């Protein structure tokens, strides 16, 4: 039981980060950015290139990855999302599918399909908690997830710009009419979403061992599920959703450990997603808002 | 006469392929409460959107304090002194009253943060009820309180002109009265306002000048004192009901008509009729107590 | 060969048969090598897969990011049925089986679509795709474990389609079959209903389209085609496992459909050809460095297409052609300008229409209708009666509840209480579509037409409920579907001719002026052969002269076409010129009723308009 909880919490922190990235963009633009996971993966390959191939320190490589992917998010907002104006939100989502495939196929061409690996920021054996070995990077991922949560909450509630982000999410035209620069808000959420996804990827990569283009798609999907379970509009909900998905994944893995059914974890999360959408479409903490109808 | 604070000159606008405004002119002087009235589809809300910058003017210019703002984004116009009480109030429901006000002062705080504290204090003084609820989420307040918050949120930014868009829309009659009481109180402080409203009676209690829109053009413009009932009806486009042309229109009707059996409207009519009678005296009083003679402006 | 143009179904079959026979012949003659046939086969299978997603996304506007999994369902279903495995059934049985399996899976994926908005649906389809590839298709019993399963080439008696060119013939025949099937969708009520749902579900419902059923139908049809497409590619490569239908294949299908041009069969075919031929041809021209960039290019085009021109390449070409045509013909009348309202068409009764009671008297009656929105009582126990052969006006200030009452009468909103009788029948519990079919036509303030569709398509869509054939016969386009369709087209053409709109037959409604749109809307309503017509502010947005003209047409509607009209209108002169009796509403209640003469004398009415203003 304790083992399930530890595993679930570690995975849940990562899903929570992906989910927060998703929720930010959804609140700011009413769109799900399907490309986030793969943009984060692109950041990983950049970090691999800088750290492994050019011997830079981990922090430098990671920072570069976050900065570059954030820029990709901002540029995509500036030249695609903003151009689409009032177009149906599904159309904007399809454009993010284009970005996803663009990045994915670009990686395949430039990096190739053979897996790469990235070390963690720390070496060391980690700790044994409830029978699970927790690596330093995994511990860090939980700390970062919590830190990001607190930092975002502070930014959004304590600064004028942050309040503007919340206001634009609730009512974009009213936000514009009190003077909030909605274009800058939009650029911020797309950039922050891409950057946060990269952070999640950087923290999960050492635990994965090796990864090829597209390999983090499943984790990002679990992050999407976490965002929906949490309500898609709620930032705390995103972390709770991440934890729920992590726990469902870990416990299904344990319960069906003997089963011959492959991919039980994916199946369990799929069922969790369907049940959430059909029974409680606005999730655990979401508000019923009609704006993005 | 001094330069108008806000001026729209010869504006055409519309949605997609359909033109809705045809050469609209409007000028508002310092301290004036300008009413823009008209029936559904006359172009009132499009006029407001053009002033706000939410839809572009196809032709013509919008000037604020003599500066051409036609090409500016809505939030830039707010920074230059345009305030908004949007239709449907549009407070930020999940944010507290105080956070709503802080957002209202977004451009003020960017210009000069030190001016926010006194402005907030003045707001609390003017709207003590909001102060009591300053930590409450705006979405949980009543419609009337949200309307007060919307007004306060516009005023806290110290705007030159406030656009008030259909304050009565979607509110129960009792609350409409509350809202107009709030606006009346604000009007006495010398704020310049443009009021767009369907509820002609309520609007006439408040305004100094009237611009009547009909099918996208200005049908009449002048001070409140020059407006009489028949002109109002005629220019709003419901007027032929009263004038001699009624008979002509009736004659045009097909001959085929039969007498319609009278249902039983008499009973139903009685109740609302009383209500109207009770209200009758109010606007007259309101009009009489206006001190400053409204300035008539050329359009 | 004009007969080919006239009958798209026949044309597809002829071309398909020729291609299917030609491929093996060319193969035997050595013109098409085994390798070339494999490449072409890949392209044909990709085109079929693209058509399946095109039906769902391009026609019905439902997003799917997991379409490749449905291909997998079809392939595995076929693999389990054909000779190498347990059941040993012939290939011809595997085809409908794969279609059924695909349809069933797609139906299940589509079920949440009834409750969920587009973005959620997209997530569900991705999750479905991952679940398929990581779980179900990896199982021993379905997917054959890591080894996968074998899909042998089809066999007829002793002849096996081992040569790729021979099997290419089979693929071409199947593609032609899918193409024909897809043509039947687009040229009947099915495709029009799909496209209407894509553009505007409320308008679709107002024309009598059962939105729920058609959405699920679109999923099932798309799944059926996907199932066959999966079978096609599965038997081409002859072995499939859980990795054969990966997630990024689903995304590539989105590229094929969107970049080719949403809803364009030819666009899908062109995009599929590009992806099949690129790896073969491009390295010859530019060297091996160019390999793999086909997907990069496609993805970039997908982004550009969405950002610039959501109708894709085919749409851009169509737009170019339309612009050229419009330059040749004088352009659409300037907006705001006066356009005389043409005579309304007198149309033949649709043959499929059931008999309706014809007695005089009250044909529409609404009793004590009450509608609340939260705390606001929008309609407060309002009752109105409409007598056959009259034009009845419903006037009152904004917010009086007129349109809400209309919505309650037409079935768009369910009132909290009250009852509605149409032609003496209580229709209170019927849907908007059923009421429309029972003879209640209505127009909308913001124009109840599908803006993306042309005038002609709107006129055809309007006849959805009187088409006289069911969706199943539409799919096969058997005789009476063809006959029904001919009648619809004739009636639509008559209406267009009577209105003098020949020039605008293929113009999207959105490109017309408001006045023209009103005319088209009225024509569309008349095509449904209504007994009672509800008109919601028909003069709104019309120039005064045009409104006067409209008055004459409304009188025609009553006197010449024998319709009964209930009219909401703010233009009082128009009301006075047309109405036989008036109801006045204010604050949700009927405050006056009588002849126009009586009503306009009523001071109360003016008070209502001015909100109680007296100067």
């Amino acid at each position: 039981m304790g083992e399930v909880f530890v595993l679930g919490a570690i995975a849940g922190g990562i899903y929570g980060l992906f989910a927060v990235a998703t929720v930010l963009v959804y609140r700011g633009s009413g769109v799900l950015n399907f490309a986030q996971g793969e943009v984060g993966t692109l950041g990983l390959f950049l970090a691999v290139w800088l750290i492994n191939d050019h011997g830079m320190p981990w922090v430098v490589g990671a920072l570069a990855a976050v900065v570059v992917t954030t820029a990709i998010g901002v540029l995509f907002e500036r030249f695609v999302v903003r151009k689409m104006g009032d177009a149906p939100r599904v159309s904007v989502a399809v454009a993010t599918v284009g970005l996803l495939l663009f990045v994915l196929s670009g990686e395949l061409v430039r990096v190739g399909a053979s897996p790469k690996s990235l070390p963690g920021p720390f070496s060391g054996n980690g700790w044994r908690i409830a029978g699970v070995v927790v690596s330093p990077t995994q511990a860090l991922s939980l700390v970062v997830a919590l830190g990001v949560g607190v930092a975002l909450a502070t930014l959004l509630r304590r600064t004028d710009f942050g309040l503007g982000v919340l206001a634009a999410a609730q009512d974009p035209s009213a936000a514009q009419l009190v003077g909030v620069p909605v274009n800058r808000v939009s650029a911020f959420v797309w950039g922050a979403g891409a950057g946060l996804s990269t952070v999640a990827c950087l923290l999960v990569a050492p635990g994965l061992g090796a990864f090829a283009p597209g390999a983090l798609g499943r984790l990002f999907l679990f992050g999407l599920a976490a965002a929906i379970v949490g309500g898609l509009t709620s930032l705390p909900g995103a972390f709770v959703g991440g934890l729920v998905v992590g726990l469902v994944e870990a416990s299904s893995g344990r319960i069906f450990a003997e089963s011959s059914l492959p991919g039980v974890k994916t199946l369990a999360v799929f069922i969790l997603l369907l049940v959430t959408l059909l029974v409680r479409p606005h999730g655990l903490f979401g508000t019923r808002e009609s704006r993005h109808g | 006469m001094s330069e108008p604070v806000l001026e729209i000159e010869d504006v055409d606008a519309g949605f997609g392929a359909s033109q809705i405004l045809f050469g609209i002119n409007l000028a508002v002087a310092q301290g004036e409460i300008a009413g823009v009235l008209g029936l559904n589809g006359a172009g009132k809300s499009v006029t407001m959107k053009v002033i706000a910058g939410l839809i572009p003017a196809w032709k013509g210019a919008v000037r604020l304090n003599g500066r051409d703002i036609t090409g500016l984004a809505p939030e830039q116009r707010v920074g230059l002194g345009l305030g908004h009480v949007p239709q449907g109030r549009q407070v930020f429901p999940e944010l507290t009253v105080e956070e709503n006000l802080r957002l209202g002062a977004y451009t003020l705080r960017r210009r000069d943060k030190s001016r926010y504290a006194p402005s907030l204090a003045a707001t609390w003084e003017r709207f003590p009820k909001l102060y009591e609820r300053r930590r409450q989420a705006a979405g949980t307040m009543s419609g009337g309180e949200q309307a007060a918050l919307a007004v306060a949120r516009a005023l806290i930014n110290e705007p030159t002109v406030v656009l008030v868009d259909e304050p009565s829309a979607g509110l129960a009659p009792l609350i409409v009265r509350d809202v107009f009481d709030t606006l009346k109180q604000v009007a006495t402080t010398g704020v310049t306002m443009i009021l767009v409203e369907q509820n002609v009676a309520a609007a006439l209690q408040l305004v100094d000048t009237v611009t009547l829109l009909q099918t996208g053009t200005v049908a009449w413009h002048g001070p409140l004192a020059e407006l009489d009932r028949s002109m109002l009806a005629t220019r709003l486009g419901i007027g032929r009901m009263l004038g001699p042309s009624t008979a002509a229109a009736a004659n045009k009707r097909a001959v085929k008509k039969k007498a319609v059996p009278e249902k039983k409207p008499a009973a139903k009519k009685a109740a609302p009729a009383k209500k109207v009678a009770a209200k009758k005296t109010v606007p007259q009083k309101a009009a009489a107590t206006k001190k400053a003679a409204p300035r008539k402006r050329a359009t | 060969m004009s007969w080919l143009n006239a009958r798209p179904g026949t044309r597809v079959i002829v071309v398909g048969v020729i291609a299917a026979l030609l491929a093996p012949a060319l193969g035997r003659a050595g013109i098409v090598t085994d390798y070339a046939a494999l490449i072409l086969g890949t392209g044909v299978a990709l085109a079929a897969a693209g058509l399946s997603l095109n039906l769902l996304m391009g026609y019905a506007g439902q997003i799917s990011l997991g379409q490749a999994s449905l291909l997998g369902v079809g392939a595995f279903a076929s693999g389990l049925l054909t000779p190498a495995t347990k059941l040993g059934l012939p290939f011809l049985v595997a085809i409908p089986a794969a279609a059924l399996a695909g349809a069933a899976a797609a139906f299940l994926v589509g079920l949440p679509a009834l409750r969920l908005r587009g973005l959620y649906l997209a997530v569900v389809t991705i999750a479905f795709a991952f679940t398929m590839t990581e779980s179900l298709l990896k199982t021993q019993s379905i997917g054959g474990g890591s080894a996968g399963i074998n899909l042998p080439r089809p066999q007829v008696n002793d002849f096996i389609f081992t040569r790729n060119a021979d099997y290419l013939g089979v693929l071409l025949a199947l593609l032609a079959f899918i193409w024909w099937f897809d043509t039947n969708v687009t040229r009947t009520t099915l495709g029009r209903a799909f496209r209407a749902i894509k553009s505007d579900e409320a308008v679709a419902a107002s024309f009598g389209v059962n939105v729920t059923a058609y959405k699920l139908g679109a999923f099932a049809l798309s799944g059926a085609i996907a199932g066959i497409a999966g079978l096609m590619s599965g038997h081409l490569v002859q072995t499939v496992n859980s990795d054969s239908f990966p997630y990024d294949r689903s995304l590539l299908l989105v590229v094929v459909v969107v970049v080719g041009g949403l809803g364009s069969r030819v666009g899908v075919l062109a995009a599929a050809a590009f992806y099949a031929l690129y790896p073969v041809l491009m390295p010859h021209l530019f060297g091996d460095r160019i390999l793999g960039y086909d997907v990069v290019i496609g993805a970039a085009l997908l982004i550009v297409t969405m950002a610039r021109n959501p109708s894709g390449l085919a749409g851009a070409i169509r737009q170019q052609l339309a612009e050229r045509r419009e330059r040749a013909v004088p352009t659409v009348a300037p907006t705001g300008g006066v356009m005389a309202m043409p005579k309304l068409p007198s149309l033949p009764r649709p043959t499929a229409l059931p008999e309706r009671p014809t007695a005089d008297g009250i044909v529409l009656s609404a009793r004590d209708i009450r509608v609340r929105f939260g705390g606001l009582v929008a309609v407060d126990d309002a009752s109105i009666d409409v007598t056959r052969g009259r034009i009845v006006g419903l006037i009152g200030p904004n917010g009086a509840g007129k349109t809400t009452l209309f919505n309650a009468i037409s079935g768009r909103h369910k009132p909290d209480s009250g009852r509605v009788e149409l032609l003496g029948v209580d229709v209170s519990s019927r849907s908007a579509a059923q009421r429309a079919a029972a003879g209640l036509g209505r127009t909308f303030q913001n124009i109840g037409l599908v803006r993306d569709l042309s005038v002609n398509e709107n006129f055809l869509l309007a006849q959805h409920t009187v088409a006289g054939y069911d969706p199943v016969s539409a799919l096969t386009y058997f005789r009476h579907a063809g006959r029904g369709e001919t009648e619809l087209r004739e009636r639509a053409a008559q209406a267009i001719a009577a209105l003098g709109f020949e020039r605008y037959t293929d113009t999207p409604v959105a490109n017309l002026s408001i006045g023209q749109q009103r005319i088209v809307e009225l024509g569309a309503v008349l095509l449904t052969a209504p007994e009672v017509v509800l008109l919601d502010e028909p003069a709104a947005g019309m120039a005064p002269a045009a409104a006067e003209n409209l008055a004459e047409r409304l009188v025609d509607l009553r006197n010449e076409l024998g319709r009964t009209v209930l009219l909401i209108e703010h233009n009082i002169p128009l009301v006075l010129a047309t109405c036989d009796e008036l109801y006045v509403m204010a604050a949700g209640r009927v405050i006056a009723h009588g002849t126009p003469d009586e009503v306009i004398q009523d001071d109360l009415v003016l008070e209502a308009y001015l909100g109680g203003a007296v100067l």
Side-chain angles (χ1 to χ4, degrees):
Chain A
M1 200 59 232
E3 177 198 331
V4 166
F5 191 80
V6 173
L7 285 173
I10 292 168
I14 298 294
Y15 302 149
L17 277 176
F18 276 126
V20 162
T22 301
V23 166
L24 260 184
V25 173
Y26 183 76
R27 290 197 63 150
S29 292
V31 176
L32 296 180
N33 180 358
F34 290 112
Q36 264 167 353
E38 206 53 49
V39 170
T41 311
L42 178 68
L44 279 187
F45 286 116
L46 181 67
V48 166
W49 185 66
L50 289 174
I51 298 166
N52 293 2
D53 301 355
H54 291 263
M56 295 209 182
W58 191 89
V59 178
V60 175
L63 218 58
V66 173
V67 168
V68 169
T69 51
T70 302
I72 291 174
V74 171
L75 290 175
F76 187 75
E77 192 280 335
R78 177 68 188 78
F79 292 105
V80 179
V81 179
R82 205 179 298 174
K83 284 266 184 304
M84 297 184 70
D86 291 334
R89 298 294 89 183
V90 173
S91 302
V92 183
V94 172
T96 72
V97 170
L99 179 62
L100 159 54
L101 195 58
F102 183 76
V103 174
L104 179 63
S105 55
E107 286 166 358
L108 284 170
V109 173
R110 305 297 310 177
V111 184
S114 59
K116 304 257 187 272
S117 63
L118 187 71
F122 317 109
S123 49
N125 294 325
W127 307 275
R128 229 184 151 73
I129 303 171
V132 184
V133 178
V134 179
S135 76
T137 312
Q138 285 170 329
L140 177 70
S141 72
L142 270 181
V143 173
V144 168
L146 283 175
V148 164
V150 172
L152 264 181
T154 312
L155 172 77
L156 293 179
R157 283 279 172 177
R158 305 260 171 233
T159 68
D160 282 8
F161 183 76
L163 271 182
V165 173
L166 292 180
Q170 288 167 33
D171 192 331
S173 83
Q176 218 172 5
L177 291 183
V178 296
V180 173
V182 285
N183 283 339
R184 227 173 297 161
V185 166
S186 180
F188 166 78
V189 295
W190 283 83
L196 282 175
S197 294
T198 308
V199 171
C201 289
L202 285 165
L203 291 172
V204 80
L208 287 178
F211 50 86
L216 275 72
R218 190 179 70 105
L219 297 180
F220 175 66
L221 173 69
F222 283 15
L224 272 181
I228 288 175
V229 168
L232 209 49
T233 54
S234 159
L235 290 174
F239 283 108
V240 176
L243 199 61
V244 171
V245 170
L247 289 176
V248 165
E249 184 194 19
S251 52
S252 69
R254 191 187 158 88
I255 294 166
F256 297 100
E258 307 299 310
S259 152
S260 64
L261 186 65
V264 261
K265 294 174 175 179
T266 310
L267 195 60
V269 173
F270 181 52
I271 291 166
L272 172 70
L273 176 70
L274 275 187
V275 170
T276 307
L277 285 176
L278 294 177
V279 178
R280 203 180 159 83
H282 48 107
L284 295 173
F285 299 92
T287 48
R288 274 174 193 284
E289 23 124 59
S290 53
R291 172 200 152 201
H292 302 308
Chain B
M1 201 179 320
S2 68
E3 184 85 343
V5 197
L6 185 94
E7 197 177 10
I8 326 177
E9 197 178 280
D10 205 17
V11 161
D12 288 0
F15 296 109
S18 59
Q19 184 171 355
I20 294 173
L21 299 186
F22 299 86
I24 295 280
N25 287 290
L26 184 70
V28 183
Q30 176 70 45
E32 176 182 330
I33 316 283
V36 177
L37 310 178
L39 291 182
N40 194 21
K44 303 185 300 294
S45 79
V46 177
T47 307
M48 287 303 240
K49 288 197 166 83
V50 169
I51 301 176
L54 291 173
I55 66 171
W58 295 358
K59 184 173 115 340
V62 181
R63 274 189 286 275
L64 182 65
N65 289 323
R67 175 174 170 177
D68 191 336
I69 58 167
T70 319
L72 298 186
E75 59 265 26
Q76 291 173 305
R77 300 184 191 209
V78 174
L80 291 174
L82 209 53
H84 296 275
V85 180
Q87 198 178 136
R89 295 156 295 286
Q90 295 192 355
V91 296
F92 304 111
E94 289 165 37
L95 301 184
T96 66
V97 168
E98 191 164 349
E99 285 169 334
N100 266 278
L101 290 173
R102 203 169 115 195
L103 278 167
Y106 195 93
T107 60
L108 181 77
R109 283 168 63 92
R110 285 181 68 88
R111 268 202 312 277
D112 181 0
K113 221 165 201 166
S114 67
R115 273 162 65 190
Y116 176 62
S119 195
L120 181 67
T123 304
W124 293 143
E125 205 169 304
R126 192 184 282 173
F127 300 94
K129 273 211 180 115
L130 293 181
Y131 180 71
E132 288 166 24
R133 296 174 175 259
R134 63 189 183 281
R135 307 233 178 282
Q136 194 177 329
T140 62
M141 299 199 302
S142 73
E145 289 163 335
Q146 290 188 22
L149 175 57
V151 174
R153 189 181 61 183
L155 293 178
I156 199 170
N157 207 31
E158 299 176 357
T160 333
V161 187
V162 183
L163 303 186
V164 186
D165 195 356
E166 303 271 6
S168 77
L171 289 180
L174 223 68
I175 300 174
V176 172
R177 203 165 308 157
D178 272 3
V179 172
F180 273 88
D181 284 345
T182 306
L183 290 173
K184 258 183 265 179
Q185 185 216 339
V186 170
T188 57
T189 62
V191 174
T192 312
M193 267 198 258
I194 301 182
L195 173 70
V196 161
E197 182 54 65
Q198 308 255 5
N199 189 328
V200 178
L204 292 182
Q205 299 173 33
L206 201 62
V207 299
D208 302 319
T209 63
V210 173
T211 303
L212 295 179
L213 294 188
Q214 201 183 339
T215 56
T217 56
V218 175
W220 188 84
H221 175 88
L224 182 69
E226 288 178 17
L227 190 66
D228 62 38
R229 183 188 157 110
S230 80
M231 187 188 301
L232 181 63
T234 314
R235 298 302 185 189
L236 280 175
I238 53 177
R240 285 206 234 170
M241 249 185 213
L242 304 154
S245 53
T246 304
N251 283 341
K252 259 180 71 180
R253 247 176 291 148
V255 210
K256 197 189 151 193
K257 254 164 39 69
K258 292 177 276 182
V260 181
E262 183 69 25
K263 286 277 149 176
K264 43 160 196 175
K268 289 222 158 184
K269 267 182 342 191
K274 242 182 265 159
K275 246 190 249 162
V276 174
K279 265 164 90 184
K280 270 184 187 176
T281 50
V282 181
Q284 279 168 333
K285 232 191 288 170
T289 49
K290 293 261 178 207
K291 313 165 287 201
R295 290 140 292 201
K296 172 155 186 172
R297 317 198 53 80
T299 46
Chain C
M1 298 259 271
S2 59
W3 60 276
L4 279 181
N5 286 326
R7 316 198 60 168
T10 322
R11 183 174 52 187
V12 172
I13 292 169
V14 169
V15 171
V17 168
I18 292 172
L21 294 175
L22 207 58
L26 291 176
R28 272 147 221 280
I31 297 170
V32 173
T33 64
D34 214 40
Y35 177 64
L38 181 69
I39 297 299
L40 290 174
T42 313
V44 170
L46 183 61
L51 286 179
S52 82
L53 185 60
N54 185 47
L55 191 151
L56 190 63
M57 270 182 88
Y59 304 161
Q62 307 295 307
I63 190 171
S64 166
L65 302 181
Q67 196 74 1
S69 311
L70 295 175
L71 303 179
V73 169
F76 280 87
S78 172
L80 294 177
L81 289 173
T82 37
T85 50
K86 300 134 201 175
L87 294 173
L89 292 169
F91 189 68
L92 274 180
V93 180
I95 296 172
L100 267 179
F107 185 85
L108 289 178
V109 175
L111 271 180
L114 301 180
R115 289 196 48 183
L116 303 175
R117 289 172 290 142
L119 292 173
Y120 288 97
L121 182 63
V123 177
V124 171
T125 58
I126 298 177
F128 168 73
F130 272 92
T131 311
M132 289 303 285
T133 53
E134 298 203 350
S135 181
L136 297 180
L137 296 185
K138 276 203 163 76
T139 58
Q140 197 63 43
S141 52
I142 300 176
S146 53
I149 59 173
N150 290 323
L151 284 85
R153 288 285 168 83
Q155 182 176 7
V156 177
N157 295 328
D158 287 337
F159 179 76
I160 306 178
F161 288 76
T162 321
R163 290 170 197 244
N164 285 341
D166 291 353
Y167 183 61
L168 178 62
V170 176
L171 290 179
L172 284 167
L174 283 172
L175 180 65
F177 171 72
I178 290 171
W179 192 285
W180 169 76
F181 183 83
D182 196 77
T183 315
N184 291 342
V185 170
T186 50
R187 64 175 158 167
T188 57
T189 49
L190 271 175
R192 289 191 290 269
F194 289 158
R195 270 170 289 169
I197 289 173
K198 182 187 178 193
S199 298
D200 194 332
E201 288 185 15
V203 171
S206 80
F207 282 128
V209 175
N210 181 341
V211 173
T212 308
Y214 274 85
K215 261 192 197 170
L216 279 180
F219 274 97
L221 289 178
S222 165
I225 299 177
I228 298 178
L231 166 147
M232 288 162 69
S233 62
H235 288 272
L236 180 67
V237 294
Q238 300 184 58
T239 173
V240 292
N241 61 26
S242 60
D243 294 331
S244 302
F245 301 97
Y247 175 46
D248 52 350
R249 174 74 78 83
S250 299
L251 304 184
L252 185 65
L253 284 177
V254 174
V255 170
V256 165
V257 169
V258 175
V259 175
L262 271 177
S264 161
R265 277 185 291 265
V266 178
V268 167
L269 195 63
F274 170 75
Y275 281 108
L277 298 179
Y278 183 97
V280 189
L281 295 185
M282 287 318 217
H284 280 300
L285 298 173
F286 302 102
D288 281 348
R289 271 185 319 131
I290 204 86
L291 274 176
Y293 280 98
D294 49 349
V295 183
V296 180
I297 295 167
L301 281 176
L302 173 60
I303 298 173
V304 174
T305 307
M306 293 318 293
R308 294 282 156 124
N309 184 353
S311 54
L313 288 184
I317 293 168
R318 230 175 293 145
Q319 215 170 324
Q320 282 289 319
L321 291 177
E323 269 167 30
R324 202 163 304 159
R325 225 180 305 133
E326 251 159 50
R327 258 193 302 263
V329 187
T331 47
V332 179
T335 45
V338 179
M339 166 160 181
M341 177 131 182
K343 275 278 197 194
L344 293 172
S346 168
L347 297 162
R349 223 181 112 80
T351 38
L353 198 68
E355 283 301 317
R356 287 176 183 149
T358 51
D360 276 351
I362 292 171
V363 285
L364 176 69
S365 164
R367 292 271 130 238
D368 303 317
I369 302 288
R370 190 178 184 82
V371 184
R372 305 175 64 106
F373 295 131
L376 198 74
V377 182
V379 177
D380 189 355
D381 288 337
S383 297
I384 57 173
D385 289 313
V386 181
T387 310
R388 185 182 289 277
R390 281 171 178 254
I391 300 178
V392 177
L394 181 59
I395 64 171
N398 266 299
K402 304 183 298 292
T403 296
T404 311
L405 179 59
F406 255 37
N407 287 339
I409 292 175
S410 66
R412 196 174 204 201
H413 293 317
K414 198 174 160 32
D416 294 286
S417 60
R419 88 194 227 118
V420 179
E421 278 183 22
L422 179 64
L423 302 172
V425 181
D426 186 351
V427 294
S428 308
S429 57
R430 299 209 190 152
S431 70
Q434 287 169 323
R435 294 183 205 198
L440 192 70
R442 80 165 284 186
T443 67
F444 291 85
Q445 256 176 56
N446 47 357
I447 309 215
L449 296 170
V450 182
R451 295 171 52 80
D452 303 342
L453 297 187
S454 71
V455 172
N456 189 42
E457 286 168 313
N458 269 286
F459 277 2
L460 293 172
L461 175 67
Q463 302 177 75
H464 185 81
T465 58
V466 296
Y469 58 85
D470 55 289
V472 177
S473 50
L475 283 178
T476 51
Y477 210 74
F478 279 149
R479 263 233 162 93
H480 68 291
R483 262 206 310 272
E485 201 50 33
T486 311
E487 182 185 326
L488 300 194
R489 283 172 196 282
E490 274 166 13
R491 292 184 81 232
Q494 276 177 34
I496 289 172
L499 296 172
F501 267 55
E502 290 94 337
R503 249 173 59 201
Y504 306 120
T505 305
D506 298 317
T507 309
V509 165
N511 295 359
L512 300 177
S513 74
I514 297 286
Q516 291 170 321
Q517 292 184 22
R518 295 249 174 243
I519 295 166
V520 174
E521 187 191 22
L522 207 50
V525 169
L526 288 177
L527 278 162
T528 66
E531 296 296 329
V532 186
V533 186
L534 273 53
L535 303 176
D536 196 350
E537 294 202 38
M542 277 193 184
E548 232 165 78
N549 202 237
L550 175 69
E552 286 172 35
R553 297 289 88 88
L554 290 181
V555 171
D556 287 350
L557 198 58
R558 175 192 63 198
N559 294 0
E560 292 176 18
L561 303 182
R563 309 288 172 195
T564 310
V565 178
L566 180 61
L567 170 75
I568 294 180
E569 188 46 70
H570 275 299
N571 184 325
I572 299 297
L574 172 70
V575 168
L576 295 179
T578 56
C579 290
D580 302 306
E581 58 186 289
L582 285 182
Y583 284 89
V584 185
M585 281 185 82
R589 291 203 255 175
V590 174
I591 58 162
H593 171 224
T595 63
D597 292 311
E598 290 160 356
V599 168
I600 57 175
Q601 301 303 326
D602 200 332
D603 244 11
L604 203 62
V605 175
L606 182 64
E607 306 299 350
Y609 266 94
L610 300 186
V614 182
L615 284 160

